[in-house]
Amino acid sequence: MRSAEHVPAAVLDRYATGGAGIGADALWAIEAHLEGCAPCRERLGEAVARRSPETVSLLARVHANLTTEMARSRQMPARRLPRRVARWVPPGLWPRLAMTLLVVAAALGLDLAGSRVLPSLVLLVAPVAPLLGVAAVWSVGLDPAHELVVASPRAGFYMVLRRSLAVLVVVMPALTAAGWLTGASPARWLLPCLAFTAGALALGELIGLRVAAGALALAWTAGVITPSILAARTPLLLEPASLPYWAGLIAVIAVALVLRRDAYTGLRSDTWFVR
Amino acid sequence: MVRAVSAAETAATTYASAIHAEGLRVRAGRRMAVDGLDLSMDTGVHGLLGPNGAGKTTLVRSIATVLRPAGGTLTVLGEKVNGRIDLRGLRRQIGYLPQEFGFYRRFTVREFIEYISWLKEMPAAETPGAVQRAIERVGLADRADHRMKTLSGGMVRRAGIAQAIVNDPRILLLDEPTAGLDPDQRMQFRALLRQLGTDTCVLVSTHLVEDVAAACTDVVLIDNGRLVFQGVPADLAAAAGEDAGAGDSAAERGYSAILRRHRETASSPETAS
């Protein structure tokens, strides 16, 4: 820059004592130069120390005051965990997740205690286990700040997916552990589990997530869990032979989900979305 | 504390008024709560008055892009809300305090407002400063690190106002913001409103006529989902005229007189036409 022209020492001295007798235009030029020139700022510091005892004492006073002020003021509290976690799991979701874990634990307990004649309860419950949490992902009753969430720019499919993923991250390891103890391998229930989760989200675009998740869980309980327990055999749907069909179903649901993704963004006249 | 103003904020607008409704109809459940409303609002503080069930909350929710209008047109910041619009861009410029303000009880005030600013997609670098500024503007700085559940009703309301203004919105929608505030806090709130109204379109829904008379630049009175009166507070006070309507202040008398006249003409349409 204009480094060749440094501020003359005499001008700096006058500037340090209040700038009397320096024209406004010269003052601008001096200050513009000082902003970009460290050596001149250093010389200004020396000039102030030499020529202007009142500035020096003012600085010392401010320094002393700030030191006592800072010693007295409270520290910013350390960042707490909930702040970050809430971006994935809103506080209203935690009780639902705890309930899900309890259900899985109960199924596991019955499996371990019961006879080997019945099909594994963990295996039967696994496909619908995430639905309890998924139902609470986007509903006014279970998220106190839902009205604020719905009116925010982040509202929409991405937010629903994000929270559903958080549900799966909690539920999946629990199911895997329970399945490992009872011999219900994840290979048999993983695809059905994903299909039900995605299915609830897709159906939720039409009738509301809470109703959709409830309907699917009820259908599975009535159509598969109850007959299997009564007949005391593992349903065909959870045999390895059915896996290609589940995979196909997931693909179809994924397409439907993406096509109608705007449904969660809001602006609904249907009451389910907001109430 | 000052903040940098981005070019987008100072850009000239291409719309005539921030909020414009024509024949707007919005359903609340089965009922048509807003039914043929014509309204136009721009920068300033607009007091939305009306009896219970007049459609105030439904109107505010539709402007907040929560409810879809069932008919008519609603234009917010130049964007028609009925059509397929970029809701994200619009929602970033709106601040909204719902009537039933739900919050996370275990969060501190600062954490909650930071969460809301994350929801509003504010840049992470600006968030702490914006949150602190919003908290200071509503006078909650000394409680910023207290949990939400330890706050009194008036403080919760103020935290609600803080979360609404944290993104420096162009449109600020406050549904019953003064409920639970003591007289001193209401005075502070009115000062804040006046300050916000210089560059923001503020819509304050309230039952309290004196709030409107004291702090608003514009009064909007609706009944049964229709606009009954829009004008400056002085017009509201003058509307009482000679007939002594119910009320203790001129503005309250004007409010009840306008409502009564409107209902008389509405109940006898042949005399009105």
Side-chain angles (χ1 to χ4, degrees):
Chain A
M1 281 173 64
R2 305 144 299 172
S3 51
E5 292 253 8
H6 286 293
V7 185
V11 178
L12 263 187
D13 281 355
R14 225 179 312 152
Y15 182 76
T17 50
I22 306 179
D25 50 349
L27 204 60
W28 268 44
I30 292 169
E31 289 181 344
H33 177 81
L34 281 172
E35 274 179 20
C37 178
C40 277
R41 285 202 298 272
E42 197 184 338
R43 286 167 56 222
L44 175 66
E46 288 161 8
V48 166
R50 215 173 39 242
R51 308 286 299 238
S52 174
E54 56 269 39
T55 311
V56 174
S57 71
L58 175 71
L59 281 176
R61 249 189 352 263
V62 169
H63 183 79
N65 283 353
L66 269 183
T67 313
T68 49
E69 222 23 68
M70 279 166 66
R72 265 190 298 151
S73 66
R74 279 192 306 134
Q75 293 267 305
M76 277 280 282
R79 286 177 170 259
R80 291 199 301 131
L81 198 57
R83 182 149 64 188
R84 290 267 163 193
V85 173
R87 296 179 181 181
W88 294 88
V89 185
L93 202 50
W94 286 113
R96 284 303 183 104
L97 291 177
M99 216 194 292
T100 310
L101 296 185
L102 272 181
V103 169
V104 173
L108 175 65
L110 285 174
D111 268 1
L112 293 180
S115 63
R116 284 281 151 198
V117 186
L118 284 175
S120 162
L121 269 177
V122 172
L123 179 63
L124 287 176
V125 166
V128 290
L131 293 186
L132 209 55
V134 166
V137 158
W138 205 248
S139 93
V140 69
L142 297 159
D143 185 359
H146 190 64
E147 176 94 357
L148 291 175
V149 175
V150 165
S152 75
R154 241 178 243 277
F157 185 59
Y158 175 70
M159 193 79 177
V160 174
L161 271 191
R162 195 181 165 100
R163 291 178 170 185
S164 303
L165 189 67
V167 171
L168 289 180
V169 163
V170 173
V171 175
M172 287 289 185
L175 283 175
T176 310
W180 180 69
L181 287 173
T182 57
S185 137
R188 292 169 77 187
W189 52 256
L190 184 65
L191 285 181
C193 188
L194 292 178
F196 267 101
T197 307
L201 296 184
L203 197 58
E205 288 172 347
L206 297 173
I207 58 173
L209 196 46
R210 194 147 50 143
V211 180
L216 286 181
L218 203 68
W220 180 258
T221 310
V224 177
I225 297 183
T226 317
S228 308
I229 291 177
L230 293 179
R233 60 178 175 79
T234 305
L236 189 62
L237 281 172
L238 290 174
E239 295 293 353
S242 315
L243 290 183
Y245 299 103
W246 284 110
L249 185 63
I250 292 177
V252 172
I253 291 171
V255 171
L257 258 181
V258 172
L259 283 182
R260 284 195 49 86
R261 62 186 178 279
D262 283 347
Y264 286 111
T265 310
L267 260 198
R268 300 295 301 209
S269 41
D270 311 311
T271 44
W272 66 258
F273 186 76
V274 282
R275 275 287 157 221
Chain B
M1 195 157 55
V2 290
R3 77 187 171 86
V5 177
S6 71
E9 284 177 81
T10 53
T13 56
T14 53
Y15 43 84
S17 48
I19 301 170
H20 184 75
E22 260 180 47
L24 179 67
R25 293 149 64 81
V26 190
R27 211 183 287 279
R30 287 166 194 274
R31 207 169 63 88
M32 197 64 83
V34 173
D35 196 0
L37 181 81
D38 299 310
L39 186 64
S40 203
M41 286 183 284
D42 205 17
T43 305
V45 183
H46 308 269
L48 181 61
L49 285 173
N52 283 329
K56 298 193 293 290
T57 294
T58 306
L59 174 62
V60 169
R61 292 180 85 197
S62 65
I63 298 172
T65 70
V66 174
L67 292 177
R68 177 193 288 279
T73 59
L74 174 64
T75 316
V76 179
L77 295 177
E79 302 253 25
K80 268 209 177 97
V81 174
N82 312 43
R84 293 178 63 82
I85 56 159
D86 171 28
L87 277 174
R88 291 176 82 152
L90 182 55
R91 283 173 175 172
R92 273 191 212 126
Q93 306 182 63
I94 294 178
Y96 173 40
L97 170 66
Q99 186 172 33
E100 288 162 25
F101 170 55
F103 53 88
Y104 300 142
R105 292 167 51 77
R106 295 174 61 81
F107 278 42
T108 68
V109 176
R110 191 188 303 279
E111 283 166 357
F112 183 71
I113 297 175
E114 279 193 353
Y115 179 66
I116 298 294
S117 49
W118 176 78
L119 281 179
K120 292 183 177 186
E121 297 185 329
M122 290 173 63
E126 287 174 19
T127 301
V131 168
Q132 180 64 26
R133 198 167 52 244
I135 291 174
E136 281 172 9
R137 284 181 100 171
V138 297
L140 270 182
D142 53 334
R143 304 299 289 260
D145 296 309
H146 290 223
R147 301 244 176 140
M148 293 289 285
K149 64 178 171 189
T150 65
L151 302 187
S152 69
M155 287 178 183
V156 165
R157 240 33 224 169
R158 284 191 277 158
I161 296 165
Q163 66 79 24
I165 63 176
V166 70
N167 56 334
D168 290 306
R170 289 200 159 184
I171 290 186
L172 180 58
L173 307 164
L174 303 172
D175 203 349
E176 300 282 351
T178 50
L181 296 191
D182 67 33
D184 189 38
Q185 290 166 355
R186 288 225 320 259
M187 306 248 283
Q188 285 171 18
F189 172 68
R190 289 173 189 169
L192 175 63
L193 273 190
R194 282 187 212 106
Q195 190 193 344
L196 288 167
T198 55
D199 60 352
T200 310
C201 174
V202 187
L203 180 61
V204 188
S205 150
T206 180
H207 280 111
L208 301 170
V209 181
E210 70 256 43
D211 276 346
V212 171
C216 295
T217 55
D218 182 48
V219 181
V220 176
L221 175 52
I222 64 173
D223 186 31
N224 274 329
R226 282 167 186 276
L227 183 70
V228 176
F229 170 86
Q230 185 173 16
V232 294
D235 287 349
L236 183 71
E242 291 303 305
D243 61 3
D248 297 324
S249 68
E252 281 179 4
R253 282 195 292 279
Y255 168 82
S256 56
I258 290 173
L259 263 190
R260 199 178 55 239
R261 263 180 244 147
H262 170 73
R263 284 180 173 169
E264 277 163 8
T265 41
S267 59
S268 53
E270 65 275 7
T271 53
S273 62

